[in-house]
Amino acid sequence: MDLNSALSVTQIAFLDELVELMIEHWRIDEQEYGFYSYYIEEWQKQGYYHDAMLYFWYYEPIEGLNSKQVDNFNGFIKVVNGLGFTFPSTEQALTISTLRYIERLKSSCNVEDRTEAILNLWQAIDDGDAINIDNFYKKFNLMRAEHQIIQDGKWYKFDKVGFENSYQDILNRSDLWEAQYPEGKLGIYEQLIYDGESVENQADSISYQYKEIISGASEFDKPEIECKNSIRSNVLDIIHRIKRFLQK
């Protein structure tokens, strides 16, 4: 257990997985029964158990026979509650996700790793996997315009000095961003310790938050999250090309 946290290492690991699940799967509240069942089974293999899991072991609803999609999500929430946690809000999940990208940016030690961290955060912004970081997006676009990010195979135009200066600016922006969340990841997780909130309230809240994201999406086209995989493959291709160049 972290000496500064009320949560055990196992509990932190579980919440890490849950947040990652929310980030990777858009509209987690509208998945099929098999989706929830699969992850419940994976959790069980890792040693997690609560009686609420039985819903996904012995009862498979038949579409159209008194079964609603929301029932499956409610059952999933009951499992999370049974394991000791309120279901995270989309804002909490996105904050944790952004913290991870920021940490990778700050821990990168060379041009290769820093470029990869920048590209990953940049893609996360496009995918809607990060929050409250418009100034990063603008900075990355400026870096691209000034040839501080290797792109389109134009290695000879790369401004390494400009890149290093911009990276220091990014570190300053990262510190300012983290200052908005002084509680850090563990503090956010501790807020999720289950306090008895009803399953229905949690489900309604998650559904409302997704609708708010959709209605408020504009600058970065957040609803296009469904295209993540194909977009990410392009980013990975760029990263691999950068690695090959820097290894020469």
Side-chain angles (χ1 to χ4, degrees):
M1 177 182 292
D2 190 299
L3 296 179
N4 297 316
S5 174
L7 302 174
S8 69
V9 172
T10 301
Q11 288 174 314
I12 293 170
F14 172 76
L15 290 172
D16 281 342
E17 287 193 25
L18 180 58
V19 166
E20 186 68 22
L21 195 62
M22 293 179 67
I23 295 299
E24 289 294 323
H25 298 279
W26 178 242
R27 291 310 302 253
I28 197 171
D29 59 326
E30 294 185 349
Q31 302 296 322
E32 299 297 326
Y33 174 88
F35 170 90
Y36 301 119
S37 179
Y38 171 80
Y39 286 102
I40 294 297
E41 183 177 348
E42 290 299 304
W43 290 344
Q44 189 271 335
K45 290 177 181 177
Q46 296 174 46
Y48 303 110
Y49 177 78
H50 188 269
D51 285 348
M53 290 180 172
L54 297 176
Y55 175 86
F56 295 97
W57 291 349
Y58 300 115
Y59 170 71
E60 182 167 359
I62 300 175
E63 186 176 354
L65 295 180
N66 300 317
S67 174
K68 300 177 182 179
Q69 192 173 46
V70 68
D71 293 336
N72 299 325
F73 183 52
N74 284 357
F76 193 64
I77 291 176
K78 288 179 182 178
V79 171
V80 174
N81 293 168
L83 294 175
F85 303 102
T86 300
F87 205 88
S89 68
T90 54
E91 180 178 1
Q92 287 170 321
L94 288 169
T95 300
I96 294 297
S97 175
T98 310
L99 276 168
R100 291 173 180 169
Y101 286 107
I102 294 293
E103 289 170 359
R104 290 168 192 161
L105 269 174
K106 297 179 70 172
S107 63
S108 301
C109 299
N110 53 50
V111 172
E112 177 185 357
D113 291 343
R114 290 169 181 174
T115 300
E116 182 171 354
I118 287 170
L119 288 173
N120 284 334
L121 177 55
W122 198 352
Q123 190 60 59
I125 298 171
D126 278 335
D127 289 344
D129 291 351
I131 190 172
N132 296 334
I133 47 177
D134 292 8
N135 62 337
F136 282 86
Y137 194 89
K138 295 172 182 176
K139 178 63 178 180
F140 296 159
N141 276 316
L142 180 62
M143 290 176 69
R144 176 173 58 185
E146 296 182 350
H147 306 292
Q148 295 171 11
I149 295 179
I150 301 171
Q151 56 185 319
D152 301 327
K154 298 177 181 178
W155 318 112
Y156 62 92
K157 289 187 175 182
F158 179 56
D159 179 2
K160 185 175 180 181
V161 174
F163 174 87
E164 294 295 351
N165 290 335
S166 288
Y167 178 72
Q168 293 304 313
D169 179 60
I170 290 170
L171 291 182
N172 293 334
R173 293 170 190 247
S174 298
D175 289 339
L176 291 173
W177 189 92
E178 287 182 314
Q180 300 176 79
Y181 306 95
E183 71 275 23
K185 180 180 82 169
L186 294 182
I188 294 173
Y189 281 174
E190 287 170 359
Q191 295 171 16
L192 295 174
I193 295 174
Y194 187 54
D195 59 3
E197 183 180 359
S198 73
V199 169
E200 291 74 19
N201 281 350
Q202 293 172 74
D204 289 345
S205 178
I206 291 293
S207 178
Y208 175 79
Q209 290 160 26
Y210 278 125
K211 291 175 182 177
E212 284 292 293
I213 289 173
I214 293 173
S215 64
S218 56
E219 186 175 359
F220 305 130
D221 295 323
K222 196 181 294 286
E224 293 186 8
I225 291 172
E226 295 160 351
C227 299
K228 280 182 184 179
N229 292 335
S230 60
I231 296 173
R232 279 182 175 153
S233 65
N234 293 332
V235 172
L236 290 174
D237 179 64
I238 294 173
I239 290 171
H240 292 325
R241 282 188 284 151
I242 291 170
K243 288 181 177 179
R244 289 197 298 270
F245 170 72
L246 293 172
Q247 289 170 354
K248 291 181 179 179

